[in-house]
Amino acid sequence: MKTKKANPWWTRWQRRWRQLRGHQQTKTHQVDWVWIDGERQKRVRFATPAEASAVVAGLTGLEPTGCFPALLGHAGRDVFMEFIPKARAGVPLADGVAGFYRAIYHHQLNPSPTLKPATLALAELSEGLMSLHSAGWIDDDLKKRVEHHAHQHAPAMMATGHDYVDAVAKNFMFHQGRWVGIDVEAIERERWLGLGLAKAEYRGLVAARDPDHWGIQDPVWINQYPIVRLNFLVTYFNTKLAQGKPGHIRIQALADAL
């Protein structure tokens, strides 16, 4: 079987350099192009078979949405995916990403979503705010304002499911008339639905809007999205600190979300 590294050498070197500096590593998988019987495929090799199985479960559950490349095989730590060639986009990225998240959320919200108490999300938020405060990134006033706002507006229950949590431009490609998510290792289970869209909003892939403008009509999701957005921001900021990437942090976004 012919193989070739999917990521360029400078990307692999950068990850290695950050690891040597002691920063937290989020990429524990390896991506290669492989040719099986002359057909080019994408192989993602995970650190453990359990991680691979979790991604396969997400791909299988979200398969009806058509939002991801086709799953071609799974063996141990390896997941084999359809190769998506570059193509000229027929739909703007912002519209495509909004439609992408609308599709995967609608699929899981109807007819009935998996719900968990919002107290769990509020506890996560409080812990994350404490970390930012201890690191000197937020003051007492902002910490209290965010917590007060979250407790006042959180619904009793919030929907969870599979989300595509790494919404950056390079992780989407135009394929057969729509934008699809190609970084399948970014599919994570049991997440508050809306985390992926919150990152797309923060990274400027989609325009910032109120929850009822996304075309997702489910009232559970509309009520929870403001809390999910706050959770995303706090978690993302702490992650970037752990990774040694403080330049990605815009604390003002936290105040703007209130």
Side-chain angles (χ1 to χ4, degrees):
M1 180 173 61
K2 178 183 175 183
T3 66
K4 180 182 179 181
K5 299 291 185 184
N7 293 315
W9 67 266
W10 55 85
T11 299
R12 303 195 301 272
W13 179 88
Q14 185 182 54
R15 291 177 183 172
R16 178 60 177 163
W17 179 83
R18 290 188 178 280
Q19 185 179 28
L20 291 174
R21 291 289 298 269
H23 297 307
Q24 183 184 86
Q25 297 296 303
T26 58
K27 304 290 187 180
T28 60
H29 57 273
Q30 176 183 318
V31 182
D32 299 294
W33 303 127
V34 301
W35 283 259
I36 300 176
D37 296 329
E39 177 188 12
R40 187 175 183 178
Q41 300 180 13
K42 177 181 178 180
R43 182 186 69 190
V44 184
R45 176 164 289 170
F46 292 90
T48 66
E51 291 179 36
S53 295
V55 169
V56 168
L59 284 167
T60 302
L62 297 174
E63 191 274 335
T65 68
C67 287
F68 298 98
L71 174 64
L72 301 179
H74 169 218
R77 296 188 296 140
D78 294 345
V79 177
F80 296 87
M81 306 297 306
E82 172 190 15
F83 168 68
I84 304 294
K86 291 184 178 180
R88 178 177 296 179
V91 177
L93 178 61
D95 294 342
V97 171
F100 171 93
Y101 282 106
R102 187 163 55 244
I104 66 172
Y105 295 156
H106 183 271
H107 177 69
Q108 298 177 88
L109 289 165
N110 293 281
S112 59
T114 300
L115 300 174
K116 290 186 177 181
T119 51
L120 298 175
L122 293 173
E124 292 172 10
L125 180 64
S126 181
E127 182 178 351
L129 287 168
M130 182 62 72
S131 295
L132 288 177
H133 182 268
S134 298
W137 279 83
I138 60 174
D139 58 20
D140 287 332
D141 178 65
L142 182 55
K143 178 178 177 293
K144 291 176 182 178
R145 285 168 53 205
V146 173
E147 288 182 321
H148 178 73
H149 180 90
H151 280 270
Q152 279 211 319
H153 294 87
M157 305 293 287
M158 292 171 55
T160 67
H162 284 99
D163 209 335
Y164 188 64
V165 298
D166 199 8
V168 295
K170 67 181 180 67
N171 289 341
F172 294 92
M173 289 188 68
F174 193 74
H175 181 57
Q176 296 181 346
R178 66 185 302 173
W179 287 89
V180 298
I182 59 167
D183 191 24
V184 297
E185 48 271 31
I187 300 173
E188 295 187 1
R189 60 184 175 181
E190 297 182 0
R191 305 304 299 267
W192 305 113
L193 292 183
L195 285 172
L197 183 58
K199 181 167 185 176
E201 188 177 341
Y202 180 77
R203 294 297 296 265
L205 270 66
V206 296
R209 294 183 177 182
D210 293 330
D212 57 351
H213 290 159
W214 290 115
I216 304 171
Q217 303 302 319
D218 189 276
V220 171
W221 188 87
I222 291 173
N223 290 333
Q224 78 181 43
Y225 185 65
I227 310 304
V228 174
R229 181 194 280 139
L230 290 173
N231 266 42
F232 160 73
L233 290 171
V234 170
T235 301
Y236 182 78
F237 294 161
N238 279 306
T239 298
K240 292 307 168 186
L241 287 177
Q243 293 174 348
K245 300 179 180 179
H248 289 264
I249 299 173
R250 298 196 315 272
I251 287 294
Q252 184 59 39
L254 198 54
D256 293 343
L258 302 180

